Amino acid sequence: LFGITTQPAKGIFGGLVVGGYFAVGMGLFHVLFKKFAANAYRAMNIWQYVLVNSMFVMMMGLPVKMIARLVFRIKYVWVTPWFNV
């Protein structure tokens, strides 16, 4: 899709895409959760909040990957010599 051919470049680019997804997703979750579930937000400690936040962002990753595969015809988002995401 982007013309990246070397394996290290694919790994770096995929890491940036996945990291960017997590950064944007966690920021968006924070804003929405604090606004719409203020009581639950105040009742949680930091570890509970981090767990809920990361689980939600990972759960939303599946439909995002499905849509990306259908729209952009990509098979993997992150390709490395050891694993493919």
Side-chain angles (χ1 to χ4, degrees), residues 1-77:
L1 181 64
F2 294 102
I4 301 171
T5 57
T6 63
Q7 198 69 21
K10 288 179 184 179
I12 292 169
F13 180 73
L16 290 173
V17 169
V18 172
Y21 166 76
F22 272 94
V24 170
M26 287 185 171
L28 184 62
F29 178 84
H30 175 73
V31 170
L32 295 175
F33 190 70
K34 195 171 183 180
K35 182 177 181 179
F36 293 111
N39 292 335
Y41 178 76
R42 282 192 294 273
M44 289 185 186
N45 64 30
I46 187 69
W47 299 111
Q48 291 169 333
Y49 175 74
V50 167
L51 182 66
V52 169
N53 190 337
S54 44
M55 289 292 183
F56 182 79
V57 170
M58 283 188 273
M59 181 179 70
M60 288 294 110
L62 179 66
V64 168
K65 185 177 183 232
M66 290 169 60
I67 291 168
R69 182 165 180 158
L70 292 172
V71 173
F72 299 116
R73 296 192 184 277
I74 57 174
K75 190 169 185 179
Y76 298 109
V77 178

